[in-house]
Amino acid sequence: MELCYQLPVLPLDRPVPKHVLSRRGAISFSSSSSLFGAPDPRQLSQRRGAISYDSSDQTALYIRMLAVTNKTIKSSFVFTPGDVRVRSQVGFEPERRGSHPYLGVDFRTLHSRAESAGSIPARRIRRLFSFQRHLLSSRLLRGAPHLNPLHILDEDYCGQAKCMLEKVGSWNFDIFLFDRLTNGNSLVFLTFHLLSQYGLIELFQLDMVKVRRFLVLVQEDYHNQNPYHNAVHAADVTQAMHCYLREPKLAQSLTSFDILLGLLAAATHDLDHPGVNQPFLIKTNHYLAALYRNTSVLENHHWRSAVGLLRETELFSHLPAEDSLSIERQLGSLILATDISRQNEYLSRFRTHLDENDLNLGNASHRHFVLQMALKCADICNPCRPWELSKQWSEKVTEEFFHQGDIEKKLKLEISPLCDSEANTIASVQIGFMTYVVEPLFAEWARFSDTRLSQTMLGHLGLNKASWSTMEPEASGSSEDGESDPARSSEEPSSRALTQGSPES
C-alpha cells in the first residue's frame, strides 16, 4: 500500500475535527470519505499537529510533524496501534508536550509500507525530519524583515495567538487561552517572543536553533500531570516578570543582561517540579533532600536542572567561560530566592531598604536584589490576577495540595498542613495564603514601585480575598455544631505551613 505524506490545506476558520487529536504523535483513523469536510486533500490548506488517515482513500495520510531540533539526529518511526512517535538516538525524546511544527516545510511524496515503516532508511528520515537542515536552508537565517524577524508561531496559530502576543504586557493576559492557541506550547512561544522583543537574541548573538531547543527541553521537563507546577505556570510567571520589567524604575535601570537573567529565571524557576513540597521530600527520605541537605531542596534542583539544560544545548558556549559561569551563578541566586521558607528573610531586607531609602539601582547587587523580589512577586502573583484567572489557579494549586495529602494518607505519614482535603477548603487555603504571604509582599512592592500596575494588583487581591471570604461561611454553615470559624481557625496553621514552604515550594 502506498502512503502519501502531505501537508494538506485547512482554512483557519474551519475547526479541527474531533477525530484529529492534538497530542503530538497521535494518529487517528476515519472511515469518512470527507475528511476535514473536504473530499479532495489537495484543496485543503496546511494544518499541522496530528496524523489522520482516511480508510476510503489509502493515499491520504495527513500528518502534522514534530520539529526536532537536535544538531545531528538519527530518528526512526515507531509504529504501535494508534500511536506514531519520533524517537531520537541521542537522548532527546519529546513525547510529553504538544507539537513543535516545521515552519512551512513542503513534504514530498514518500512511498513506504506500513508493515516495514520501522525500517525506513536513516538517510530518508534525516531528509524528512531535520529541522535544523530546514532552518539553515531557509530565508530565516539569511535575514528577515525587521517587523517579524523570527516567525516563531505556526501559520495555523498566527491569528489569535499573534494578537495575544501583541498584548503580552497586559496584566489581564489569559495564559490559559494562549496555551490552547499554541497547542500546549505557551512557554516556548511566549519566552521566545520576549527574548526577541527585547532584542536579546541579537544582542548576545544567540543561536536561534539552540534557543529553540533549550526552550523545548525546558518545557518538556515540566510535569504536565501536576495541576499547578507545570509549564503553563512557568509561562504565567514569565509573563508576569515581563510586566514587572516594564515598570518605570526597572525599565530605566536594568541592563540587557539583567533582563536576560530575569526571563530565564522565570521560565526555569520550577523546572522538574515533582508536585510535592520540601517537607514531603524530607520525611520520605527522598534522595534530593539528602543531596541538598534539606535546604532549599526543590529550588536547588530547579537551578541545577536549568544549568544542565544550558550546558546540554550549549546556549552560551560562544561566550567566555567566566561569563557562562556568572550567568549560571546569578540564575541560581534568582531561583533560590523563590524558596517560600525564606520569605520573611527577603521581605525584611526589602522593607529595610525601603525604610532607609537606600536602594541604588545603579548598583549591580541592588539591581539583582530587585530582580529577586520581582521574581518572588511573579511566582505568587496569582491572587493578584483578575478573578477569572485567579480562581483557576487557586483551584489548581489546592488540587495539588490535596493530592499530596492523599499520598501521605496512603503512606500513613503525617498529613502536611493545608494538604488535608477533609480539614481544609479552597477558600480557607487561599484566605490564609493571601493574608500571610501575598499581601505583605505586594504591599512592599507597591511602596517600591507605586504605579498603576501595583495598584491594580492590590485591587484584584482585595476583591479576590473578599470573593473567597463569601464562600467560606457556606462551608462553615454546613457544620452542625458550628464550633469554630474555619477561616479563622485556619489562619494560624496556614501561617506556619506557608513559612515552611507548603504552598509554592
Side-chain angles (χ1 to χ4, degrees):
M1 178 179 65
E2 291 187 350
L3 298 179
C4 179
Y5 285 76
Q6 296 178 343
L7 283 177
V9 173
L10 179 63
L12 292 179
D13 58 353
R14 180 172 298 166
V16 181
K18 293 182 179 179
H19 63 271
V20 180
L21 307 178
S22 61
R23 186 175 68 83
R24 170 193 304 167
I27 186 168
S28 175
F29 293 89
S30 172
S31 59
S32 170
S33 61
S34 58
L35 191 62
F36 297 124
D40 186 1
R42 297 182 181 180
Q43 297 176 357
L44 303 174
S45 59
Q46 190 170 359
R47 171 71 65 174
R48 309 183 187 101
I51 302 174
S52 264
Y53 172 68
D54 189 348
S55 61
S56 65
D57 182 359
Q58 295 184 352
T59 65
L61 181 61
Y62 305 94
I63 187 168
R64 178 173 168 190
M65 300 310 303
L66 157 72
V68 181
T69 57
N70 286 335
K71 279 187 175 179
T72 56
I73 181 167
K74 297 180 180 179
S75 305
S76 62
F77 265 138
V78 179
F79 281 84
T80 57
D83 193 14
V84 175
R85 293 188 178 92
V86 180
R87 295 190 180 273
S88 165
Q89 297 179 9
V90 293
F92 176 37
E93 184 179 330
E95 299 177 5
R96 206 181 304 152
R97 295 292 293 173
S99 64
H100 305 282
Y102 287 86
L103 308 178
V105 179
D106 182 18
F107 287 99
R108 302 300 179 184
T109 299
L110 175 66
H111 299 284
S112 177
R113 294 180 179 273
E115 307 90 299
S116 60
S119 60
I120 296 177
R123 180 177 56 84
R124 184 176 298 174
I125 291 298
R126 283 199 300 272
R127 182 170 65 250
L128 185 63
F129 291 107
S130 177
F131 177 57
Q132 186 172 359
R133 179 180 181 274
H134 165 66
L135 285 180
L136 291 174
S137 63
S138 71
R139 60 190 294 271
L140 199 61
L141 295 183
R142 298 198 302 268
H146 177 71
L147 295 178
N148 190 15
L150 296 179
H151 303 288
I152 62 173
L153 288 180
D154 184 1
E155 292 177 1
D156 295 343
Y157 303 114
C158 270
Q160 297 181 62
K162 187 174 181 179
C163 287
M164 288 194 69
L165 283 177
E166 292 175 356
K167 300 180 180 179
V168 70
S170 169
W171 190 247
N172 298 331
F173 190 85
D174 189 341
I175 195 65
F176 298 109
L177 174 59
F178 185 72
D179 191 63
R180 292 193 294 272
L181 292 175
T182 56
N183 195 30
N185 296 297
S186 55
L187 181 58
V188 173
F189 289 149
L190 186 140
T191 308
F192 204 123
H193 173 79
L194 292 178
L195 292 174
S196 173
Q197 180 173 298
Y198 282 107
L200 301 174
I201 294 179
E202 293 81 5
L203 182 62
F204 290 94
Q205 299 180 347
L206 302 178
D207 186 323
M208 286 191 298
V209 174
K210 291 181 180 179
V211 174
R212 176 85 176 188
R213 182 178 178 232
F214 170 74
L215 294 176
V216 169
L217 289 176
V218 167
Q219 183 171 263
E220 292 291 335
D221 275 1
Y222 278 95
H223 300 188
N224 294 326
Q225 66 269 26
N226 293 343
Y228 182 82
H229 289 103
N230 51 41
V232 183
H233 166 65
D236 184 64
V237 172
T238 304
Q239 190 272 335
M241 190 66 169
H242 168 59
C243 292
Y244 300 150
L245 294 177
R246 297 172 69 232
E247 291 287 79
K249 277 192 175 181
L250 278 69
Q252 296 169 6
S253 58
L254 294 181
T255 66
S256 297
F257 181 73
D258 296 327
I259 295 173
L260 176 65
L261 279 176
L263 293 178
L264 291 180
T268 61
H269 80 283
D270 273 333
L271 195 60
D272 198 31
H273 197 293
V276 293
N277 60 19
Q278 175 173 297
F280 180 88
L281 298 179
I282 293 175
K283 63 187 176 184
T284 55
N285 298 317
H286 195 276
Y287 77 94
L288 288 176
L291 178 64
Y292 298 115
R293 300 181 181 181
N294 300 341
T295 303
S296 298
V297 175
L298 287 171
E299 290 71 28
N300 270 296
H301 179 59
H302 304 326
W303 169 35
R304 302 295 183 178
S305 298
V307 169
L309 294 186
L310 286 175
R311 295 183 179 183
E312 178 181 348
T313 57
E314 299 180 340
L315 185 60
F316 299 118
S317 61
H318 62 291
L319 300 178
E322 57 183 17
D323 291 344
S324 298
L325 292 176
S326 176
I327 291 175
E328 294 175 0
R329 285 194 298 267
Q330 295 191 55
L331 183 66
S333 177
L334 290 175
I335 294 177
L336 290 174
T338 62
D339 185 352
I340 203 73
S341 66
R342 300 179 62 188
Q343 176 82 356
N344 291 335
E345 171 190 338
Y346 281 93
L347 188 58
S348 297
R349 182 182 169 191
F350 194 36
R351 186 178 292 119
T352 300
H353 277 301
L354 296 177
D355 290 342
E356 298 179 358
N357 194 27
D358 62 352
L359 270 178
N360 176 17
L361 296 184
N363 184 300
S365 62
H366 284 197
R367 290 199 308 273
H368 187 77
F369 175 68
V370 170
L371 273 181
Q372 290 176 318
M373 299 307 299
L375 182 59
K376 289 179 67 64
C377 288
D379 189 25
I380 60 173
C381 72
N382 302 145
C384 300
R385 296 281 192 179
W387 171 252
E388 295 76 13
L389 300 175
S390 179
K391 184 173 182 290
Q392 293 184 65
W393 286 120
S394 298
E395 292 170 346
K396 291 177 181 295
V397 72
T398 308
E399 178 186 351
E400 192 165 298
F401 296 164
F402 290 168
H403 178 64
Q404 175 179 323
D406 294 340
I407 297 176
E408 292 169 332
K409 289 179 184 178
K410 291 181 181 180
L411 298 178
K412 297 182 180 181
L413 300 172
E414 180 183 358
I415 301 177
S416 301
L418 309 181
C419 295
D420 190 347
S421 58
E422 298 178 0
N424 298 279
T425 64
I426 298 179
S428 65
V429 170
Q430 290 304 307
I431 291 172
F433 180 55
M434 293 178 183
T435 301
Y436 293 101
V437 178
V438 182
E439 284 181 346
L441 177 61
F442 280 86
E444 298 303 323
W445 180 262
R447 287 180 60 196
F448 165 72
S449 179
D450 187 10
T451 62
R452 181 178 180 179
L453 174 60
S454 295
Q455 297 307 315
T456 298
M457 292 189 296
L458 290 177
H460 285 313
L461 177 60
L463 292 174
N464 294 337
K465 185 177 179 181
S467 297
W468 287 118
S469 297
T470 60
M471 299 180 185
E472 187 59 16
E474 298 177 4
S476 61
S478 63
S479 175
E480 296 181 0
D481 298 334
E483 296 179 355
S484 61
D485 182 356
R488 295 187 61 186
S489 62
S490 66
E491 289 180 357
E492 183 178 351
S494 295
S495 177
R496 181 173 62 254
L498 295 174
T499 57
Q500 292 175 351
S502 184
E504 296 293 336
S505 292

